[in-house]
């Protein structure tokens, strides 16, 4: 088990609306992270991508929890449980983790996880139980993310895992057996034609009823599961059977309502993404050097023109700022370009309109045009910076 150190006793509490999202390949190596993941973990994006997801594992986490998690995921099942993760600084944070396999057809191609803020009650319960697991004194086990006591409770979980059709058959078998002995007892144990006939008729009726219920239940549940699996893979084109109003029919109705809302949301998201891709394609191919930072001054975009300029000026950048790598700028703070970061942060925070400044970096001279980025409601989203290389112009003028 990986032991990430150092650790502190300081807990970082998630915001109520935080949603930490990540994806991994089948080996557990990170292929995608969102901004909330970066914010809470303290790592930058290049430090996380292609790394094992256990880079954020806290040493207090018992290995049994992750054994249960991977057992579920590799079996194609989702998993929900409590996790204590470690920040880069050594601080820790608790999450309620929801993990599920990613499928392409019948193949598992990776895993997806969404983590949210956990309640204080669940955190306290998890802390106490995980301590028992670490000290080998727990009387319970982790199964499918839940804490399950050994014995009868464990058997009830196994019963809950049985397919509903199997439960119907077992119930019918039990009813048939009890009815058989009831009829036998009522007949005084005498094998008269009447008693035998009643027993046979009872067994036929119970068997036929069980077969009918099991067949219909199995078919309807298989249809419902197939639809849910298709939805999980992003296929929302199938027409659902929503005419029936039994329990499974209402389940299908709920799925249909969810799909309608989801379809609307996806269409709107696709529209926004398409517009943003068009803007990004335009910025990628303009000759102006453009950099964009978010509200926390983290660099989120550098266009191709600016990448070329920075590569050409790499030696000057390293002379001025030390360890400078263009490929690692995304996710880092724009403080890297300033010897007095506090002054720069104050300037950007109070920026209401375009600001221009000339800066010298090594033998290079740049004219920076800094503009606030706001949404339609005037909310500050970040900062755009244009880098105009005036080195040659200055050389001619001098």
């Amino acid at each position: 088990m990986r032991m990430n150190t150092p650790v502190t006793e300081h807990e970082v509490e998630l915001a109520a609306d935080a949603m930490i999202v990540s994806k991994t390949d089948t080996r557990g190596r990170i292929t995608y992270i969102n901004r909330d993941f970066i914010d809470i973990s303290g790592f930058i994006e290049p430090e996380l991508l292609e790394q094992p997801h256990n880079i954020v594992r806290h040493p207090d986490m018992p290995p049994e929890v992750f054994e249960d998690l991977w057992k579920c995921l590799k079996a194609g099942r989702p998993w929900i449980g409590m996790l204590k993760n470690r920040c880069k600084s050594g601080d820790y944070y608790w999450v309620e983790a929801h993990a599920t396999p990613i499928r392409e057809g019948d193949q598992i191609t990776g895993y997806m996880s969404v983590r949210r803020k956990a309640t204080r009650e669940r955190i306290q319960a998890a802390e106490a139980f995980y301590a028992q697991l670490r000290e080998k004194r727990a009387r319970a086990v982790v199964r499918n993310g839940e804490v399950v006591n050994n014995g009868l409770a464990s058997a009830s979980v196994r019963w809950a895992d049985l397919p509903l059709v199997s439960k119907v058959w077992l119930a019918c078998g039990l009813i048939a057996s009890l009815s058989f002995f009831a009829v036998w007892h009522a007949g005084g144990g005498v094998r008269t034609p009447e008693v035998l006939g009643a027993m046979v008729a009872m067994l036929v009726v119970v068997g036929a009823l069980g077969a009918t219920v099991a067949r219909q239940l199995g078919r309807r549940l298989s249809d419902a599961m197939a639809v849910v699996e298709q939805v999980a893979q992003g296929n929302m084109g199938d027409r659902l059977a929503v005419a029936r109003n039994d329990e499974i029919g209402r389940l299908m109705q709920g799925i249909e309502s969810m799909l309608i809302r989801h379809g609307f949301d996806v269409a709107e998201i696709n529209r926004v993404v398409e517009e943003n891709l068009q803007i990004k394609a335009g910025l990628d191919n303009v000759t102006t050097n453009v950099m964009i930072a978010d509200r926390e001054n983290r660099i989120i975009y550098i266009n191709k023109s600016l990448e070329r300029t920075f590569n050409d000026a790499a030696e000057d950048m390293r002379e001025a700022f030390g360890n400078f790598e263009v490929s690692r700028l995304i996710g880092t703070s724009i403080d890297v370009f300033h010897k007095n970061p506090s002054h720069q942060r104050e300037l950007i925070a109070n920026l209401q309109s375009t600001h221009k400044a000339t800066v010298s970096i090594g033998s290079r001279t740049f004219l920076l045009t800094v503009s606030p980025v706001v949404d339609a409601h005037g909310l500050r989203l970040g900062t755009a910076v244009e880098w105009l290389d005036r080195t040659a112009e200055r050389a001619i003028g001098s």
Side-chain angles (χ1 to χ4, degrees), residues 27 129 134 146 186 228 318 340 380 382:
R27 297 181 300 164
F129 175 63
R134 292 194 302 272
E146 296 290 335
V228 172
R318 293 191 187 100
N340 185 2
R380 179 70 176 272

Side-chain angles (χ1 to χ4, degrees), residues 107-318:
Q107 295 293 321
I108 294 177
T109 58
Y111 305 99
M112 178 189 302
S113 177
V114 176
R115 278 139 288 169
R116 305 184 180 94
K117 183 177 181 179
T119 64
R120 185 52 50 183
E121 291 76 16
R122 293 206 67 190
I123 291 174
Q124 291 171 349
E127 281 182 318
F129 175 63
Y130 290 171
Q132 293 173 4
L133 281 178
R134 292 194 302 272
E135 297 163 8
K136 307 300 180 185
R137 57 184 178 86
R139 297 183 179 180
V141 295
V142 182
R143 184 169 289 117
N144 304 330
E146 296 290 335
V147 178
V148 179
N149 291 321
N150 288 315
L152 184 60
S154 182
S156 68
V157 171
R158 293 188 178 92
W159 166 259
D161 283 343
L162 282 177
L164 284 176
V165 174
S166 299
K167 293 176 183 176
V168 170
W169 276 113
L170 288 172
C172 288
L174 178 61
I175 293 171
S177 299
L178 293 175
S179 301
F180 182 92
F181 287 110
V183 172
W184 177 268
H185 185 268
V190 180
R191 299 180 182 180
T192 62
E194 292 79 7
V195 171
L196 291 175
M199 292 170 64
V200 170
M202 176 270 300
L203 290 174
V204 170
V205 170
V206 172
L209 178 62
T212 300
V213 172
R215 184 171 58 253
Q216 291 185 357
L217 182 61
R219 185 174 65 250
R220 296 279 286 164
L221 285 175
S222 295
D223 291 343
M225 287 187 293
V227 168
V228 172
E229 288 175 357
Q230 290 294 314
V231 171
Q233 296 180 46
N235 181 2
M236 297 176 290
D238 291 343
R239 180 176 178 178
L240 307 186
V242 296
R244 293 183 59 161
N245 204 40
D246 57 10
E247 287 79 2
I248 298 177
R250 289 196 292 274
L251 169 63
M252 303 300 281
Q253 293 167 19
I255 293 174
E256 174 66 14
S257 297
M258 179 189 71
L259 289 179
I260 292 170
R261 175 58 185 268
H262 184 62
F264 175 85
D265 291 342
V266 167
E268 180 63 14
I269 290 171
N270 287 339
R271 181 188 67 79
V272 174
V273 168
E274 182 65 26
E275 291 179 354
N276 288 338
L277 286 175
Q278 292 173 359
I279 294 171
K280 181 180 181 299
L283 289 174
D284 278 343
N285 293 288
V286 298
T287 57
T288 304
N289 298 333
V290 179
M291 171 188 292
I292 300 176
D294 64 14
R295 280 176 290 191
E296 284 73 40
N297 294 336
R298 284 183 292 253
I299 300 169
I300 59 174
Y301 174 77
I302 297 173
N303 73 344
K304 295 177 181 178
S305 178
L306 185 55
E307 284 184 3
R308 290 191 293 268
T309 297
F310 280 162
N311 281 320
D312 292 341
E315 290 187 10
D316 293 288
M317 293 291 182
R318 293 191 187 100

